[in-house]
Each structure stands twice: as structure tokens, then as C-alpha cells.
Amino acid sequence: MENYLNLMIIGATRYDIDGNKGGSLWAYSPAEADDDNRVGNEVMKIACDYKHIDQLRNHADRLPAMFTVKAQMKAGQGGKITFKALELKPQEPVKKSA
């Protein structure tokens, strides 16, 4: 199942271990306003392909920045749901009014 997530990407890492390549995006999104158990922002790690780190490098000077992330839900360890980024699309910055 594919989802589109609007996330503030704050950074990313990648690895190449014996030819096994991959990466991780670090992002945050605001906590749900009606959730009494959370406050502030929720930080998450999202798996991605090695190539996505090079794509983000082109936007390094504006990070953190909002991106639309096309992601696939996957089963993770302990039955938890994880996401893998399939596509990253930078959102246009909001222009401040004068």
C-alpha cells in the first residue's frame, strides 16, 4: 500500500556494506492536536534507497524542508509498521507576506 506523507525532512544517512546499499531519512511531523499523550513533534526514521540521498544533497542548503514522500508501508520488527520512501518531491517554500 502506498501513502503520501507531508514531512519536514531534517537529514539523511546512507550506507554501503559489502554492496548492500540503502539509506534512511530523518523527518518530523507535528503530533496530532487531539492526542493527549503527545506534544510537539514526532520524529521518525524512514528507509530509502541509496540514490535518494544524492537527490537530497541537491537540497542540502534548504534543509530542513518540507517534502511530499511517496512511501510504502511494510511490516517491521516486532509487528510494527515501518515506511520505505519510494519518491521524494520537494514542496515549494511558503513565501512570507510583506
Side-chain angles (χ1 to χ4, degrees):
M1 175 182 225
E2 294 174 354
N3 297 279
Y4 289 88
L5 309 170
N6 293 310
L7 299 173
M8 181 68 70
I9 302 292
I10 56 178
T13 58
R14 68 180 181 186
Y15 59 87
D16 181 352
I17 302 171
D18 298 328
N20 185 17
K21 295 181 177 184
S24 298
L25 305 174
W26 293 93
Y28 71 84
S29 63
E32 296 293 328
D34 60 353
D35 187 343
D36 291 337
N37 298 317
R38 298 178 194 267
V39 64
N41 296 302
E42 295 185 53
V43 178
M44 61 189 79
K45 180 179 175 183
I46 300 172
C48 68
D49 290 334
Y50 192 85
K51 66 182 180 183
H52 289 121
I53 307 306
D54 288 329
Q55 180 185 355
L56 278 177
R57 198 174 309 280
N58 296 327
H59 302 282
D61 61 329
R62 17 173 296 198
L63 291 181
M66 288 297 296
F67 281 78
T68 300
V69 180
K70 181 179 176 182
Q72 180 180 36
M73 288 184 358
K74 301 179 94 174
Q77 292 180 345
K80 293 184 179 182
I81 293 176
T82 63
F83 287 100
K84 178 168 183 189
L86 304 175
E87 294 177 14
L88 306 174
K89 182 179 177 189
Q91 295 182 3
E92 292 298 318
V94 176
K95 294 184 180 178
K96 296 180 182 177
S97 56

XYZ file of all heavy atoms in Angstrom:
763
model
N 0.835 -1.171 0.000
C 0.000 0.000 0.000
C 0.886 1.242 0.000
O 1.814 1.346 0.791
C -0.883 -0.023 1.239
C -1.705 1.216 1.412
S -2.679 1.126 2.926
C -4.214 1.704 2.297
N 0.617 2.176 -0.894
C 1.398 3.397 -0.997
C 0.660 4.545 -0.332
O -0.561 4.643 -0.398
C 1.682 3.722 -2.454
C 2.589 2.692 -3.096
C 2.776 2.921 -4.580
O 2.115 3.805 -5.149
O 3.578 2.198 -5.176
N 1.415 5.396 0.339
C 0.882 6.555 1.033
C 1.686 7.779 0.631
O 2.858 7.669 0.278
C 1.015 6.369 2.551
C 0.218 5.202 3.047
O -0.966 5.310 3.246
N 0.870 4.070 3.237
N 1.071 8.935 0.730
C 1.768 10.190 0.506
C 1.837 10.915 1.839
O 0.817 11.197 2.454
C 1.050 11.034 -0.547
C 1.203 10.450 -1.928
C 0.303 9.495 -2.403
C 2.264 10.820 -2.749
C 0.463 8.938 -3.653
C 2.428 10.265 -4.004
C 1.522 9.332 -4.452
O 1.677 8.780 -5.691
N 3.067 11.180 2.295
C 3.295 11.817 3.579
C 3.900 13.193 3.365
O 4.812 13.354 2.547
C 4.266 10.975 4.416
C 3.944 9.487 4.562
C 5.114 8.768 5.211
C 2.690 9.299 5.373
N 3.389 14.187 4.068
C 3.974 15.526 4.051
C 4.852 15.632 5.278
O 4.352 15.670 6.402
C 2.888 16.599 4.074
C 2.069 16.594 2.810
O 2.627 16.598 1.723
N 0.766 16.578 2.944
N 6.172 15.644 5.044
C 7.121 15.591 6.153
C 8.186 16.664 6.034
O 8.602 17.029 4.935
C 7.827 14.225 6.170
C 6.962 12.994 6.366
C 7.792 11.746 6.175
C 6.319 13.012 7.743
N 8.636 17.122 7.179
C 9.773 18.028 7.241
C 11.020 17.150 7.333
O 11.257 16.493 8.348
C 9.661 18.925 8.473
C 10.793 19.915 8.612
S 10.820 21.213 7.369
C 9.395 22.189 7.845
N 11.779 17.072 6.248
C 12.998 16.271 6.232
C 14.099 17.093 6.894
O 14.371 18.229 6.493
C 13.407 15.886 4.790
C 12.294 15.121 4.078
C 14.729 15.111 4.801
C 12.020 13.745 4.613
N 14.729 16.507 7.915
C 15.779 17.239 8.629
C 17.174 16.716 8.305
O 18.161 17.405 8.535
C 15.532 17.228 10.155
C 15.404 15.805 10.706
C 14.300 18.030 10.483
C 15.221 15.728 12.199
N 17.275 15.515 7.764
C 18.569 14.963 7.411
C 18.435 13.561 6.852
O 17.334 13.006 6.790
N 19.559 12.989 6.460
C 19.549 11.651 5.885
C 20.932 11.025 6.022
O 21.939 11.723 6.131
C 19.146 11.713 4.417
N 20.949 9.709 6.020
C 22.201 8.953 6.045
C 22.091 7.815 5.036
O 20.987 7.406 4.679
C 22.486 8.357 7.444
O 21.399 7.516 7.816
C 22.662 9.438 8.491
N 23.257 7.323 4.601
C 23.234 6.168 3.707
C 24.388 5.250 4.067
O 25.310 5.624 4.790
C 23.298 6.580 2.247
C 24.605 7.183 1.814
C 24.539 7.536 0.351
N 25.808 8.101 -0.094
C 26.007 8.598 -1.286
N 25.019 8.624 -2.151
N 27.172 9.080 -1.627
N 24.294 4.022 3.544
C 25.337 3.036 3.833
C 25.573 2.171 2.604
O 24.719 2.057 1.727
C 24.953 2.155 5.035
C 23.654 1.404 4.836
C 23.633 0.164 4.204
C 22.452 1.942 5.268
C 22.448 -0.518 4.000
C 21.259 1.260 5.078
C 21.258 0.031 4.445
O 20.083 -0.637 4.242
N 26.763 1.590 2.556
C 27.140 0.626 1.528
C 28.010 -0.409 2.234
O 29.197 -0.189 2.444
C 27.900 1.316 0.391
C 28.293 0.356 -0.724
O 28.119 -0.880 -0.567
O 28.791 0.841 -1.763
N 27.416 -1.500 2.627
C 28.117 -2.552 3.350
C 28.183 -3.784 2.453
O 27.165 -4.422 2.188
C 27.408 -2.894 4.677
C 27.314 -1.638 5.555
C 28.139 -4.017 5.404
C 26.463 -1.801 6.783
N 29.371 -4.066 1.958
C 29.594 -5.215 1.080
C 28.611 -5.249 -0.089
O 28.061 -6.292 -0.436
C 29.505 -6.515 1.874
C 30.566 -6.628 2.954
O 31.675 -6.081 2.744
O 30.296 -7.253 3.995
N 28.376 -4.077 -0.691
C 27.483 -3.999 -1.840
C 26.017 -3.891 -1.502
O 25.181 -3.694 -2.380
N 25.659 -4.019 -0.224
C 24.278 -3.845 0.217
C 24.080 -2.365 0.533
O 24.596 -1.866 1.534
C 24.000 -4.715 1.446
C 22.558 -4.664 1.883
O 21.686 -4.253 1.127
N 22.315 -5.069 3.111
N 23.347 -1.662 -0.346
C 23.194 -0.214 -0.222
C 21.792 0.157 0.243
O 20.814 -0.492 -0.117
C 23.438 0.463 -1.572
C 24.850 0.320 -2.071
C 25.006 1.052 -3.395
C 26.429 1.005 -3.892
N 26.603 1.795 -5.114
N 21.723 1.218 1.012
C 20.443 1.737 1.460
C 20.631 3.060 2.159
O 21.740 3.599 2.232
N 19.555 3.582 2.694
C 19.636 4.855 3.384
C 18.462 5.041 4.325
O 17.537 4.224 4.377
N 18.532 6.135 5.056
C 17.474 6.494 5.995
C 17.236 7.991 5.932
O 18.188 8.777 5.857
C 17.870 6.137 7.432
O 18.058 4.760 7.576
N 15.973 8.362 5.952
C 15.575 9.760 6.056
C 15.177 10.016 7.495
O 14.559 9.159 8.139
C 14.363 10.048 5.168
C 14.463 9.709 3.691
C 13.122 9.929 3.025
C 15.545 10.555 3.045
N 15.517 11.179 8.000
C 15.090 11.605 9.324
C 14.125 12.759 9.107
O 14.442 13.725 8.409
C 16.283 12.029 10.170
C 17.152 10.857 10.486
C 18.243 10.422 9.798
C 16.968 9.937 11.552
N 18.754 9.293 10.381
C 17.994 8.978 11.467
C 16.043 9.825 12.586
C 18.113 7.922 12.366
C 16.168 8.778 13.479
C 17.192 7.847 13.367
N 12.925 12.619 9.665
C 11.881 13.607 9.439
C 11.070 13.819 10.708
O 11.151 13.038 11.648
C 10.955 13.133 8.312
N 10.298 14.889 10.693
C 9.357 15.075 11.791
C 8.045 15.615 11.255
O 7.973 16.178 10.175
C 9.914 15.958 12.907
C 10.063 17.428 12.596
C 8.995 18.312 12.729
C 11.287 17.947 12.208
C 9.139 19.661 12.474
C 11.449 19.295 11.954
C 10.362 20.152 12.096
O 10.520 21.488 11.839
N 7.021 15.391 12.021
C 5.705 15.932 11.728
C 5.045 16.302 13.051
O 5.361 15.705 14.084
C 4.848 14.932 10.941
O 4.620 13.772 11.703
N 4.166 17.287 13.030
C 3.512 17.691 14.277
C 2.675 16.563 14.863
O 2.053 15.790 14.138
C 2.616 18.856 13.852
C 3.162 19.317 12.539
C 3.770 18.106 11.893
N 2.677 16.476 16.183
C 1.820 15.498 16.868
C 0.362 15.881 16.635
O 0.038 17.059 16.429
C 2.134 15.487 18.361
N -0.495 14.885 16.633
C -1.919 15.142 16.459
C -2.431 16.012 17.612
O -2.167 15.726 18.781
C -2.696 13.824 16.422
C -2.348 12.944 15.237
C -2.777 13.532 13.913
O -3.802 14.240 13.868
O -2.071 13.299 12.923
N -3.164 17.056 17.286
C -3.637 18.002 18.295
C -4.572 17.360 19.324
O -4.607 17.770 20.481
C -4.341 19.171 17.613
N -5.307 16.324 18.916
C -6.273 15.704 19.839
C -5.690 14.513 20.604
O -6.408 13.822 21.301
C -7.536 15.296 19.091
C -7.265 14.290 17.975
O -6.089 14.010 17.682
O -8.241 13.790 17.401
N -4.383 14.294 20.501
C -3.736 13.205 21.235
C -3.147 13.757 22.524
O -2.130 14.447 22.517
C -2.639 12.562 20.374
C -2.047 11.316 21.012
O -2.224 11.102 22.223
O -1.398 10.545 20.277
N -3.802 13.466 23.640
C -3.363 13.974 24.946
C -2.044 13.364 25.402
O -1.436 13.856 26.350
C -4.434 13.698 26.011
C -5.681 14.537 25.797
O -5.589 15.596 25.144
O -6.760 14.124 26.282
N -1.593 12.293 24.772
C -0.373 11.619 25.185
C 0.880 12.104 24.463
O 1.980 11.637 24.747
C -0.517 10.107 24.980
C -1.629 9.545 25.827
O -1.765 9.902 26.987
N -2.441 8.697 25.239
N 0.723 13.018 23.523
C 1.863 13.513 22.755
C 1.801 15.036 22.677
O 0.734 15.616 22.656
C 1.860 12.947 21.339
C 1.982 11.449 21.291
C 1.912 10.957 19.845
N 1.708 9.540 19.797
C 2.694 8.650 19.712
N 3.933 9.046 19.668
N 2.431 7.367 19.661
N 2.974 15.628 22.603
C 3.057 17.082 22.450
C 4.277 17.397 21.592
O 5.279 16.668 21.631
C 3.131 17.780 23.829
C 4.396 17.407 24.564
C 2.993 19.276 23.692
N 4.181 18.430 20.794
C 5.317 18.819 19.960
C 5.358 18.067 18.652
O 4.348 17.892 17.989
N 6.543 17.595 18.302
C 6.744 16.919 17.022
C 7.105 15.457 17.229
O 7.721 15.093 18.217
C 7.870 17.592 16.240
C 7.532 19.007 15.883
O 6.542 19.271 15.223
N 8.346 19.952 16.321
N 6.710 14.639 16.258
C 7.079 13.227 16.259
C 8.214 13.046 15.251
O 8.087 13.432 14.097
C 5.892 12.360 15.858
C 4.757 12.424 16.865
C 3.637 11.469 16.522
O 3.928 10.281 16.328
O 2.504 11.930 16.442
N 9.331 12.503 15.712
C 10.478 12.271 14.844
C 10.430 10.825 14.370
O 10.111 9.924 15.134
C 11.799 12.546 15.601
C 12.999 12.255 14.711
C 11.824 13.992 16.088
N 10.739 10.623 13.090
C 10.692 9.270 12.542
C 11.862 9.019 11.597
O 12.409 9.948 11.012
C 9.369 9.022 11.827
C 9.114 9.921 10.657
S 7.447 9.769 10.006
C 6.554 10.753 11.180
N 12.214 7.777 11.498
C 13.244 7.318 10.572
C 12.536 6.508 9.495
O 11.765 5.604 9.806
C 14.255 6.453 11.327
C 15.377 5.923 10.490
C 16.302 5.103 11.381
C 17.386 4.431 10.599
N 18.220 3.581 11.458
N 12.809 6.844 8.237
C 12.163 6.178 7.112
C 13.249 5.606 6.209
O 14.168 6.326 5.804
C 11.276 7.165 6.320
C 10.197 7.740 7.228
C 10.673 6.500 5.102
C 9.407 8.855 6.604
N 13.157 4.336 5.900
C 14.112 3.702 4.992
C 13.961 4.298 3.593
O 12.872 4.721 3.188
C 13.880 2.196 4.956
N 15.073 4.321 2.868
C 15.028 4.803 1.488
C 16.143 4.139 0.690
O 17.008 3.475 1.252
C 15.163 6.326 1.429
S 16.768 6.966 1.910
N 16.111 4.319 -0.607
C 17.171 3.810 -1.468
C 18.386 4.736 -1.392
O 18.267 5.932 -1.099
C 16.697 3.707 -2.916
C 15.683 2.593 -3.116
O 15.703 1.618 -2.336
O 14.867 2.701 -4.055
N 19.524 4.178 -1.679
C 20.808 4.885 -1.677
C 20.738 6.149 -2.524
O 21.240 7.198 -2.139
C 21.861 3.916 -2.204
C 23.294 4.322 -2.028
C 23.963 4.058 -0.843
C 23.993 4.914 -3.073
C 25.304 4.392 -0.688
C 25.323 5.246 -2.930
C 25.983 4.986 -1.734
O 27.297 5.311 -1.590
N 20.071 6.071 -3.682
C 20.008 7.185 -4.625
C 19.266 8.397 -4.068
O 19.509 9.522 -4.483
C 19.333 6.746 -5.925
C 17.864 6.389 -5.748
C 17.227 5.917 -7.033
C 15.762 5.572 -6.771
N 15.125 5.048 -7.955
N 18.360 8.186 -3.124
C 17.598 9.305 -2.574
C 18.488 10.275 -1.793
O 18.187 11.463 -1.706
C 16.451 8.813 -1.691
C 15.352 8.191 -2.479
N 14.951 6.892 -2.274
C 14.581 8.663 -3.491
C 13.976 6.606 -3.112
N 13.741 7.662 -3.864
N 19.593 9.782 -1.255
C 20.495 10.661 -0.516
C 21.147 11.654 -1.470
O 21.277 12.839 -1.154
C 21.559 9.851 0.262
C 20.891 8.789 1.147
C 22.453 10.779 1.076
C 19.830 9.273 2.098
N 21.523 11.196 -2.664
C 22.073 12.115 -3.669
C 21.034 13.144 -4.087
O 21.352 14.312 -4.311
C 22.585 11.355 -4.890
C 23.870 10.603 -4.590
O 24.659 11.082 -3.749
O 24.078 9.530 -5.179
N 19.784 12.726 -4.204
C 18.708 13.653 -4.542
C 18.576 14.727 -3.458
O 18.442 15.906 -3.761
C 17.381 12.897 -4.702
C 16.219 13.794 -5.045
C 14.895 13.061 -5.078
O 14.819 11.848 -4.926
N 13.826 13.807 -5.259
N 18.644 14.323 -2.193
C 18.536 15.288 -1.100
C 19.741 16.219 -1.046
O 19.628 17.366 -0.614
C 18.400 14.565 0.239
C 17.007 14.090 0.590
C 17.037 13.321 1.893
C 16.027 15.242 0.675
N 20.883 15.735 -1.480
C 22.088 16.564 -1.481
C 21.868 17.839 -2.304
O 22.412 18.896 -1.996
C 23.267 15.767 -2.038
C 24.615 16.330 -1.704
C 25.746 15.416 -2.158
N 25.627 14.032 -1.729
C 25.951 13.577 -0.515
N 26.384 14.406 0.396
N 25.838 12.304 -0.228
N 21.037 17.759 -3.339
C 20.713 18.924 -4.162
C 19.901 19.965 -3.396
O 19.760 21.099 -3.850
C 19.947 18.503 -5.420
C 20.779 17.632 -6.328
O 21.994 17.785 -6.409
N 20.133 16.700 -7.000
N 19.332 19.579 -2.253
C 18.509 20.482 -1.441
C 19.147 20.750 -0.079
O 18.502 21.309 0.804
C 17.119 19.874 -1.235
C 16.405 19.584 -2.505
N 15.773 20.565 -3.249
C 16.255 18.433 -3.205
C 15.256 20.015 -4.335
N 15.531 18.730 -4.338
N 20.391 20.343 0.091
C 21.050 20.418 1.402
C 21.051 21.834 1.983
O 20.911 21.993 3.197
C 22.470 19.885 1.308
N 21.163 22.835 1.131
C 21.228 24.205 1.631
C 19.894 24.704 2.178
O 19.854 25.706 2.872
C 21.737 25.157 0.540
C 20.842 25.193 -0.679
O 20.207 24.166 -1.000
O 20.788 26.250 -1.328
N 18.778 23.999 1.882
C 17.498 24.434 2.426
C 16.923 23.481 3.466
O 15.808 23.675 3.933
C 16.444 24.699 1.371
C 16.596 24.173 0.019
C 15.362 24.402 -0.819
N 14.214 23.669 -0.284
C 13.122 23.391 -0.950
N 12.980 23.801 -2.157
N 12.146 22.731 -0.405
N 17.656 22.430 3.835
C 17.157 21.529 4.871
C 17.241 22.205 6.229
O 18.203 22.923 6.490
C 17.958 20.225 4.886
C 17.779 19.297 3.695
C 18.635 18.044 3.886
C 16.340 18.906 3.476
N 16.313 22.007 7.108
C 15.123 21.187 6.935
C 14.138 21.824 5.960
O 14.048 23.040 5.889
C 14.534 21.095 8.341
C 15.073 22.257 9.080
C 16.379 22.609 8.430
N 13.428 20.970 5.237
C 12.462 21.428 4.245
C 11.324 20.418 4.130
O 11.500 19.234 4.409
C 13.135 21.613 2.892
N 10.183 20.926 3.694
C 9.006 20.072 3.516
C 9.118 19.300 2.199
O 9.482 19.865 1.165
C 7.721 20.907 3.488
C 7.318 21.474 4.824
S 6.922 20.216 6.063
C 5.498 19.415 5.349
N 8.813 18.017 2.279
C 8.782 17.140 1.114
C 7.501 16.335 1.132
O 6.985 16.001 2.203
C 9.959 16.155 1.148
C 11.272 16.730 0.713
C 12.007 17.534 1.556
C 11.765 16.461 -0.550
C 13.226 18.064 1.173
C 12.984 16.989 -0.951
C 13.712 17.792 -0.092
N 7.009 16.018 -0.043
C 5.965 15.022 -0.178
C 6.695 13.712 -0.437
O 7.472 13.612 -1.392
C 5.011 15.342 -1.336
O 4.400 16.613 -1.084
C 3.941 14.273 -1.477
N 6.480 12.751 0.430
C 7.176 11.472 0.346
C 6.161 10.392 -0.019
O 5.214 10.152 0.712
C 7.864 11.125 1.686
C 8.575 9.786 1.591
C 8.831 12.229 2.099
N 6.362 9.781 -1.195
C 5.564 8.625 -1.565
C 6.216 7.439 -0.873
O 7.404 7.167 -1.085
C 5.556 8.424 -3.073
C 4.729 7.251 -3.539
C 4.782 7.160 -5.055
C 4.053 5.964 -5.577
N 4.161 5.870 -7.047
N 5.474 6.774 -0.008
C 6.057 5.721 0.816
C 5.199 4.467 0.798
O 3.985 4.528 0.614
C 6.216 6.217 2.253
N 5.863 3.361 1.017
C 5.198 2.066 1.089
C 5.254 1.585 2.540
O 6.306 1.637 3.170
C 5.910 1.065 0.181
C 5.305 -0.303 0.172
C 6.080 -1.223 -0.770
O 7.296 -1.127 -0.890
N 5.361 -2.098 -1.431
N 4.113 1.142 3.054
C 4.075 0.580 4.400
C 4.586 -0.848 4.357
O 4.273 -1.602 3.441
C 2.647 0.584 4.956
C 2.172 1.945 5.309
S 0.547 2.096 6.095
C -0.127 0.513 6.214
N 5.406 -1.183 5.362
C 5.960 -2.529 5.450
C 5.869 -3.000 6.892
O 5.802 -2.187 7.808
C 7.427 -2.529 5.006
C 7.645 -2.028 3.592
C 9.094 -2.034 3.246
C 9.365 -3.340 2.558
N 10.671 -3.519 2.018
N 5.905 -4.298 7.071
C 5.938 -4.858 8.423
C 7.373 -4.805 8.920
O 8.299 -5.233 8.238
C 5.430 -6.296 8.417
N 7.552 -4.258 10.112
C 8.883 -4.161 10.701
C 9.042 -5.154 11.834
O 8.198 -6.033 12.054
N 10.110 -4.997 12.584
C 10.378 -5.881 13.711
C 9.316 -5.702 14.785
O 8.819 -4.609 15.011
C 11.754 -5.584 14.294
C 12.881 -5.949 13.376
C 14.235 -5.647 14.001
O 14.336 -4.937 14.979
N 15.282 -6.197 13.397
N 8.975 -6.778 15.416
C 8.009 -6.736 16.499
C 6.599 -6.399 16.047
O 5.789 -5.940 16.833
N 6.313 -6.584 14.766
C 4.976 -6.318 14.256
C 4.658 -4.844 14.066
O 3.519 -4.484 13.800
N 5.660 -3.990 14.186
C 5.437 -2.555 13.996
C 5.443 -2.224 12.513
O 6.123 -2.868 11.722
C 6.520 -1.739 14.697
C 6.459 -1.843 16.204
C 7.488 -0.941 16.829
C 7.401 -1.032 18.342
N 8.345 -0.126 18.985
N 4.703 -1.193 12.165
C 4.656 -0.734 10.775
C 5.808 0.226 10.537
O 6.080 1.113 11.340
C 3.314 -0.049 10.475
C 2.186 -1.065 10.547
C 3.341 0.637 9.112
C 0.817 -0.484 10.361
N 6.490 0.043 9.420
C 7.552 0.956 9.006
C 7.222 1.465 7.604
O 6.335 0.934 6.936
C 8.927 0.258 8.995
O 8.910 -0.786 8.023
C 9.279 -0.300 10.354
N 7.932 2.494 7.190
C 7.744 3.049 5.861
C 9.045 2.972 5.092
O 10.128 3.110 5.662
C 7.314 4.521 5.933
C 5.913 4.724 6.393
C 5.645 5.075 7.705
C 4.850 4.585 5.518
C 4.352 5.282 8.139
C 3.556 4.780 5.939
C 3.302 5.130 7.255
N 8.931 2.780 3.778
C 10.075 2.897 2.879
C 9.716 3.947 1.843
O 8.683 3.854 1.176
C 10.402 1.587 2.180
C 11.559 1.788 1.216
C 12.164 0.554 0.688
C 13.349 0.942 -0.186
N 13.872 -0.170 -0.900
N 10.565 4.961 1.733
C 10.345 6.035 0.770
C 10.579 5.519 -0.646
O 11.584 4.864 -0.916
C 11.260 7.210 1.068
N 9.640 5.797 -1.519
C 9.761 5.412 -2.925
C 10.120 6.614 -3.793
O 10.842 6.480 -4.776
C 8.462 4.790 -3.416
C 7.951 3.585 -2.625
C 6.585 3.150 -3.137
C 8.950 2.454 -2.686
N 9.574 7.783 -3.434
C 9.836 9.018 -4.180
C 9.852 10.181 -3.200
O 9.124 10.173 -2.211
C 8.740 9.284 -5.218
C 8.669 8.296 -6.342
C 7.504 8.585 -7.289
O 6.910 9.688 -7.226
O 7.185 7.694 -8.074
N 10.665 11.181 -3.509
C 10.734 12.411 -2.719
C 10.471 13.583 -3.643
O 11.090 13.680 -4.705
C 12.113 12.594 -2.094
C 12.663 11.455 -1.262
C 14.103 11.761 -0.865
C 11.821 11.250 -0.034
N 9.567 14.456 -3.242
C 9.290 15.643 -4.046
C 9.306 16.858 -3.124
O 8.497 16.936 -2.199
C 7.933 15.526 -4.731
C 7.612 16.695 -5.612
C 6.279 16.529 -6.294
C 5.974 17.779 -7.112
N 4.616 17.749 -7.625
N 10.247 17.794 -3.361
C 10.284 18.975 -2.501
C 9.032 19.822 -2.700
O 8.521 19.941 -3.815
C 11.533 19.722 -2.958
C 11.825 19.213 -4.320
C 11.249 17.832 -4.409
N 8.528 20.363 -1.602
C 7.395 21.275 -1.679
C 7.925 22.686 -1.811
O 9.015 22.998 -1.349
C 6.516 21.148 -0.435
C 5.866 19.793 -0.310
C 4.964 19.689 0.910
O 4.757 20.643 1.650
N 4.449 18.487 1.141
N 7.165 23.526 -2.454
C 7.571 24.912 -2.605
C 7.556 25.600 -1.244
O 6.624 25.411 -0.461
C 6.615 25.652 -3.558
C 6.714 25.179 -4.989
C 8.084 25.406 -5.590
O 8.675 26.488 -5.372
O 8.580 24.490 -6.276
N 8.598 26.381 -0.942
C 8.602 27.093 0.330
C 7.468 28.103 0.384
O 7.110 28.685 -0.637
C 9.962 27.783 0.370
C 10.588 27.593 -0.946
C 9.776 26.625 -1.737
N 6.914 28.288 1.556
C 5.848 29.253 1.744
C 6.473 30.639 1.801
O 7.412 30.877 2.574
C 5.065 28.971 3.050
C 4.016 30.032 3.283
C 4.458 27.590 3.015
N 5.976 31.530 0.965
C 6.527 32.888 0.934
C 5.853 33.713 2.022
O 4.634 33.681 2.177
C 6.309 33.514 -0.435
C 7.084 32.815 -1.520
C 6.938 33.481 -2.851
C 7.745 32.703 -3.875
N 7.627 33.257 -5.195
N 6.676 34.431 2.759
C 6.157 35.289 3.818
C 5.605 36.562 3.213
O 6.198 37.134 2.306
C 7.256 35.605 4.825
C 7.760 34.381 5.562
C 8.836 34.743 6.532
C 9.348 33.492 7.208
N 10.445 33.769 8.117
N 4.459 37.001 3.731
C 3.880 38.246 3.233
C 4.645 39.433 3.810
O 5.190 39.376 4.903
C 2.398 38.328 3.607
O 2.256 38.195 5.005
N 4.668 40.493 3.041
C 5.437 41.685 3.446
C 4.730 42.472 4.517
O 3.621 42.403 4.784
C 5.688 42.567 2.240
